[in-house]
Amino acid sequence: MNLSLIVPVYNEQDNLPLLFEAIDQTMSTLGRTWEVIFVDDGSQDNSLPILTQHAEKDPEHVRVVSFRRNFGQTAAIAAGLDYSQGEIIILLDADMQNDPSDIPMLLEKLDEGYDLVSGWRKERKDNAITRNFPSMLANKLISSVTGVELHDYGCTLKAYRRPVLEGFRLYGEMHRFIPVFANSVGARITEVVVNHHPRRFGHTKYGLERTVKVVLDLFTVKFLVSFSSKPIYLFGGTGLVLMAISALLMLYLFFRRIFFLVGVTGSPLFQTSTMFFILGFQSMLMGLIAELLVRTYHESQRKTTYTVRTKINLDKHD
Ligand code: UDP
Ligand code: MG
């Protein structure tokens, strides 16, 4: 299997027939083996019967996974990945805001040697105040914190080579951070401008609150990517800084006592210094505990601390 399309579906009954047609049209011109996996995320409308009917009509290409309840878009994408077989994975929204006719362009980019091609909705057709503007800020923030410069993390339409999707699991709202994880395993990443259409049927499942979730997720992602194999660098580093501040304060109080005869314990700086020392020391200890956890994590799953792109004359070592 060459290509797997993964489409999360939550209450999209009116969009599905259009989507089926658009997908068939594009895929039939590609000359690749392909499948499309629709993940019904506990829809309450007629999405599931419509998907079932479509799957019966085209059993060669269409697969459906249906959740017992709504687990969210990220979970739907994770399930799609679990059940997919393609060497190349393309994610796509079901609401026809993404355009399946952009797929050949993404594939062309992959063929140039990239491992991940990210869609960029340059002319995004969503609510400017609740969606586009916060999303622009979020993209800038994510790019600068993670060092993976993309204009549109939120665009679902992206193409991936399977190996860069392995080795991490998706939690919370984290599917948008796949490029960050992929970058951490050494993926070559690029982006292309894709079409975006206003929603014609149904309505968006998200609002301003998602930006908050994204920012919180960013903390987790940054920590996982930068420190998950060496947490003591973060905790120990913080601890050292706090303890250094504590020591400087103490030194200051000490000299003041000697040369100017000002009492040490009367000054609020004394309490501050003590507090910084305790916090710093605790932080170091937390780092050590985190180091233990990291070892359990990597060794229980036999996870390596590196990823390999190619091997030569080493086939026996799989
Ligand atoms: N979706 C889903 N589960 C959810 C919410 C959304 O599977 O809990 C799907 C939805 O059907 C659509 C895609 O995720 O295919 C993107 O959702 P939406 O269009 O509401 O997001 P927006 O385009 O407004 O960011
Ligand atoms: Mg949408």
Side-chain angles (χ1 to χ4, degrees):
M1 182 71 62
N2 183 254
L3 190 61
S4 296
L5 294 183
I6 296 175
V7 188
V9 179
Y10 183 49
N11 295 343
E12 306 282 5
Q13 57 180 10
D14 299 318
N15 291 307
L16 287 176
L18 299 169
L19 179 69
F20 297 157
E21 207 183 300
I23 289 178
D24 285 343
Q25 215 168 41
T26 304
M27 300 315 283
S28 61
T29 61
L30 282 181
R32 300 183 184 233
T33 47
W34 64 280
E35 63 177 356
V36 52
I37 301 176
F38 293 99
V39 185
D40 164 42
D41 186 11
S43 299
Q44 293 101 19
D45 66 354
N46 272 326
S47 295
L48 183 59
I50 295 172
L51 289 173
T52 312
Q53 206 184 22
H54 185 54
E56 278 162 6
K57 246 190 282 168
D58 187 1
E60 193 194 334
H61 295 122
V62 181
R63 336 230 181 273
V64 177
V65 180
S66 178
F67 285 174
R68 287 185 189 275
R69 65 166 173 85
N70 181 248
F71 283 93
Q73 192 184 352
T74 300
I77 288 171
L81 288 173
D82 289 341
Y83 288 99
S84 66
Q85 296 177 308
E87 294 148 31
I88 294 171
I89 313 279
I90 294 188
L91 302 183
L92 185 70
D93 279 346
D95 56 5
M96 290 299 285
Q97 289 197 270
N98 293 142
D99 199 333
S101 64
D102 284 325
I103 290 174
M105 188 174 60
L106 296 180
L107 293 172
E108 245 169 63
K109 272 282 169 194
L110 275 189
D111 288 341
E112 284 175 23
Y114 291 100
D115 300 308
L116 194 164
V117 182
S118 168
W120 169 17
R121 299 164 293 179
K122 203 169 178 180
E123 314 263 326
R124 187 168 168 186
K125 307 284 193 326
D126 282 320
N127 186 309
I129 296 165
T130 59
R131 305 298 306 279
N132 299 359
F133 181 66
S135 148
M136 187 197 75
L137 294 183
N139 283 311
K140 290 231 158 81
L141 181 70
I142 299 172
S143 298
S144 72
V145 170
T146 63
V148 185
E149 304 266 339
L150 290 180
H151 287 93
D152 198 354
Y153 274 91
C155 180
T156 311
L157 183 58
K158 297 188 193 320
Y160 311 83
R161 284 186 195 285
R162 181 177 288 281
V164 301
L165 292 175
E166 275 160 8
F168 54 84
R169 297 230 136 231
L170 298 171
Y171 296 91
E173 291 282 320
M174 289 207 181
H175 64 271
R176 68 187 51 241
F177 290 108
I178 295 176
V180 180
F181 291 116
N183 180 63
S184 79
V185 299
R188 300 187 181 107
I189 300 175
T190 187
E191 63 183 349
V192 291
V193 175
V194 296
N195 289 314
H196 193 240
H197 306 290
R199 223 181 214 281
R200 282 170 58 200
F201 304 107
H203 44 78
T204 176
K205 281 88 195 173
Y206 302 107
L208 198 55
E209 82 287 350
R210 180 152 75 172
T211 314
V212 179
K213 290 187 187 168
V214 167
V215 171
L216 291 175
D217 279 344
L218 179 59
F219 280 100
T220 316
V221 170
K222 174 68 187 171
F223 175 69
L224 287 177
V225 166
S226 301
F227 298 106
S228 74
S229 64
K230 43 182 189 323
I232 191 75
Y233 290 179
L234 179 68
F235 291 102
T238 315
L240 284 181
V241 171
L242 291 175
M243 285 162 87
I245 296 175
S246 161
L248 287 178
L249 288 176
M250 271 306 176
L251 221 58
Y252 169 71
L253 291 174
F254 181 69
F255 279 111
R256 218 169 53 161
R257 173 75 188 75
I258 302 260
F259 296 112
F260 301 97
L261 301 174
V262 184
V264 167
T265 46
S267 162
L269 287 180
F270 180 69
Q271 278 95 314
T272 315
S273 167
T274 316
M275 195 179 73
F276 273 42
F277 182 83
I278 295 172
L279 282 178
F281 191 66
Q282 295 276 17
S283 178
M284 300 270 254
L285 292 184
M286 233 151 55
L288 290 176
I289 293 182
E291 286 285 326
L292 280 184
L293 291 177
V294 165
R295 279 158 184 71
T296 317
Y297 173 73
H298 278 94
E299 283 157 32
S300 64
Q301 298 182 44
R302 297 180 170 282
K303 274 168 86 79
T304 57
T305 48
Y306 53 84
T307 53
V308 174
R309 192 185 297 278
T310 44
K311 285 180 277 187
I312 299 170
N313 293 345
L314 277 173
D315 294 340
K316 270 180 268 158
H317 295 253
D318 270 340

